[in-house]
Amino acid sequence: MRKNKKERQQLLVETIKDNPFITDEDLADRFSVSVQTIRLDRLELSIPELRERIKNVAEKSFEDEVKSLPIDEVIGEIIDIELDNTAISIFDVKEEHVFKRNRIARGHHLFAQANSLAVAVINDELALTAKASIQFTRSVHQNERVIAKAKVVKIDNSSGRTLVEVSSFANNELVFKGEFDMFRSHREA
């Protein structure tokens, strides 16, 4: 059932507060209105567009935390990170990321998102990929959002290596999984 403008805008504020990464298209579907109506509502309510919301969250939360590379060198946007434990990033597949003939994402973009997340989760000034074992489990298409989740599974201080597993999802389906053997410039105390 359609809401009046005031009710819709109130629900819009609550929905974006709960999930700042929701797209205008998803909001339009949720409220049974056009994308243009959502954009006008956001403008009226001074709610920035998705890209700006993501950028604000990433800059405020993680710029000082990530040690192994500058935050702007991460492929995708980090939305959560706990160094040497877990990290999550999102990557929106756009026209420039896909093959023109079939609109399927080029694999190196999905790999780059996962690999840079594996680097970012390392609590060290230097983190390099020593070896990676990866598997693409389904193709990803233009306009899909890929959510990559990294988990540190083993830290070996004697060798200066860290094992990071990354799983990437689009529409709650596994699209990529990888195991990254990371070299770090470990210094024992």
Side-chain angles (χ1 to χ4, degrees):
M1 187 168 103
R2 285 180 82 140
K3 309 275 186 211
N4 68 38
K5 182 177 177 180
K6 186 176 180 177
E7 291 173 323
R8 183 183 66 242
Q9 286 185 344
Q10 183 179 352
L11 287 171
L12 180 71
V13 169
E14 291 170 14
T15 303
I16 291 175
K17 185 179 178 187
D18 288 342
N19 179 8
F21 308 111
I22 192 166
T23 65
D24 287 348
E25 291 77 10
D26 290 339
L27 290 165
D29 287 345
R30 180 175 286 189
F31 297 114
S32 302
V33 296
S34 69
V35 171
Q36 187 61 31
T37 299
I38 293 297
R39 289 181 180 148
L40 290 170
D41 284 349
R42 278 194 306 93
L43 190 63
E44 199 174 305
L45 297 165
S46 300
I47 298 172
E49 65 179 12
L50 174 65
R51 196 99 182 118
E52 196 61 34
R53 293 193 308 266
I54 291 170
K55 185 177 165 193
N56 290 341
V57 169
E59 286 176 354
K60 287 178 189 170
S61 303
F62 310 114
E63 196 166 338
D64 295 330
E65 285 188 48
V66 177
K67 295 180 180 181
S68 54
L69 77 168
I71 195 83
D72 62 348
E73 290 183 13
V74 174
I75 306 302
E77 305 285 341
I78 293 179
I79 60 170
D80 189 31
I81 191 163
E82 185 181 328
L83 293 178
D84 279 346
N85 192 13
T86 60
I88 301 172
S89 73
I90 59 174
F91 176 68
D92 290 317
V93 179
K94 296 187 166 55
E95 185 175 5
E96 62 266 24
H97 305 123
V98 300
F99 293 107
K100 287 185 182 3
R101 72 174 194 273
N102 55 21
R103 302 290 180 216
I104 293 175
R106 292 180 166 100
H108 66 272
H109 293 294
L110 301 179
F111 174 81
Q113 178 192 19
N115 188 65
S116 66
L117 192 61
V119 170
V121 77
I122 304 292
N123 187 13
D124 203 316
E125 295 292 320
L126 176 68
L128 300 170
T129 306
K131 183 172 70 171
S133 173
I134 65 168
Q135 181 179 1
F136 296 93
T137 57
R138 96 149 160 84
S139 55
V140 176
H141 296 87
Q142 184 174 330
N143 299 323
E144 284 193 290
R145 169 169 288 160
V146 180
I147 300 170
K149 299 178 180 184
K151 181 178 182 187
V152 173
V153 292
K154 182 180 178 188
I155 298 173
D156 184 346
N157 289 329
S158 62
S159 68
R161 295 301 252 287
T162 298
L163 187 63
V164 180
E165 291 178 352
V166 179
S167 299
S168 300
F169 301 86
N171 296 316
N172 293 319
E173 290 180 64
L174 183 69
V175 296
F176 173 95
K177 61 182 177 179
E179 196 173 84
F180 295 86
D181 182 5
M182 306 300 293
F183 170 80
R184 63 194 302 154
S185 62
H186 169 74
R187 295 173 196 87
E188 288 196 40

Short mmCIF file of all heavy atoms in Angstrom, two decimals, residues 89 107 109:
data_model
loop_
_atom_site.label_atom_id
_atom_site.label_comp_id
_atom_site.label_asym_id
_atom_site.label_seq_id
_atom_site.Cartn_x
_atom_site.Cartn_y
_atom_site.Cartn_z
N SER A 89 33.66 -5.31 2.48
CA SER A 89 33.62 -4.22 1.52
C SER A 89 32.49 -4.46 0.52
O SER A 89 32.04 -5.60 0.35
CB SER A 89 34.95 -4.06 0.78
OG SER A 89 35.14 -5.10 -0.16
N GLY A 107 36.61 -10.71 -14.31
CA GLY A 107 37.04 -11.38 -13.08
C GLY A 107 38.08 -10.62 -12.29
O GLY A 107 38.11 -10.70 -11.06
N HIS A 109 38.25 -7.61 -11.53
CA HIS A 109 37.65 -6.65 -10.60
C HIS A 109 37.23 -7.35 -9.30
O HIS A 109 37.43 -6.82 -8.21
CB HIS A 109 36.46 -5.93 -11.23
CG HIS A 109 36.84 -5.03 -12.36
ND1 HIS A 109 37.60 -3.90 -12.20
CD2 HIS A 109 36.57 -5.13 -13.68
CE1 HIS A 109 37.79 -3.32 -13.37
NE2 HIS A 109 37.17 -4.05 -14.29
#
